[in-house]
Amino acid sequence: MSTLILALGNELMKDDGVGLKVGRILADKGYNVVEIGTDIFRLQRYYNGEEKIIIVDAILTDKYKPGEIVHLKGEKVFEKLQAEIRSAHFMGAIDGLKLLMSLDERLAKAEIHFVGIVAKEIGLGTELSEEIKSNIPNIINVIENIVE
């Protein structure tokens, strides 16, 4: 099954850059990764009909501890992220993805996964918090298991 990994985030906003950092590690390992940054609509330009899409991004929530990994699949991505977890971006990636799925039937048929990493600090700076930094190997492992 072909897979596209979308790395979201803003590396100038501390923990919000975790998706980009993880995406670069996965790209170096040979995975199909697109750095979306904070603009989910870039997906439309790079999507080539992959059957599985994995989104990796920082999230904001009080339900989990900083550094924890939240993996959601299918409809749960849309239900949970809109109800319990907030994107660190103005228009959430999930809202944008839903709009793109309504415009592209190939995308609507893709198996969607969301791997969120609970942010501790969102603010000016390029360093990840220790909670995030120390959990990067586990984040990579979760994503590699989804790909396989």
Side-chain angles (χ1 to χ4, degrees), residues 71-132:
H71 172 216
L72 303 170
K73 179 181 174 185
E75 280 303 310
K76 287 192 178 187
V77 172
F78 302 102
E79 295 165 9
K80 290 273 189 191
L81 287 180
Q82 290 180 335
E84 300 174 15
I85 300 170
R86 302 174 312 281
S87 168
H89 311 294
F90 172 68
M91 179 180 192
I94 298 311
D95 294 328
L97 178 60
K98 201 162 198 161
L99 177 60
L100 290 173
M101 289 172 81
S102 71
L103 300 172
D104 186 334
E105 66 183 43
R106 297 172 311 153
L107 188 56
K109 294 177 183 174
E111 180 180 302
I112 305 293
H113 292 262
F114 181 87
V115 177
I117 301 91
V118 180
K120 180 179 182 183
E121 302 175 60
I122 302 283
L124 288 177
T126 57
E127 286 297 314
L128 297 176
S129 64
E130 193 53 46
E131 290 87 344
I132 300 283

Side-chain angles (χ1 to χ4, degrees), residues 14-15 18 22 64-69 116-122 127-139:
K14 295 185 179 180
D15 287 346
V18 66
V22 166
Y64 303 96
K65 295 177 188 170
E68 282 194 67
I69 303 164
I117 301 91
V118 180
K120 180 179 182 183
E121 302 175 60
I122 302 283
E127 286 297 314
L128 297 176
S129 64
E130 193 53 46
E131 290 87 344
I132 300 283
K133 201 181 315 182
S134 65
N135 209 20
I136 286 180
N138 293 326
I139 299 164

Side-chain angles (χ1 to χ4, degrees), residues 4-74:
L4 177 62
I5 299 169
L6 303 178
L8 275 72
N10 181 343
E11 62 191 336
L12 301 177
M13 297 295 289
K14 295 185 179 180
D15 287 346
D16 190 34
V18 66
L20 297 174
K21 291 185 189 218
V22 166
R24 290 177 188 142
I25 293 167
L26 290 165
D28 287 345
K29 291 177 127 191
Y31 291 97
N32 182 17
V33 177
V34 173
E35 285 193 27
I36 296 295
T38 59
D39 183 6
I40 189 68
F41 294 104
R42 291 182 65 204
L43 167 61
Q44 190 174 21
R45 190 172 346 152
Y46 296 102
Y47 180 65
N48 292 311
E50 289 86 356
E51 299 154 304
K52 187 184 293 186
I53 296 174
I54 302 170
I55 301 166
V56 58
D57 194 11
I59 56 174
L60 303 170
T61 181
D62 297 328
K63 294 187 177 272
Y64 303 96
K65 295 177 188 170
E68 282 194 67
I69 303 164
V70 177
H71 172 216
L72 303 170
K73 179 181 174 185

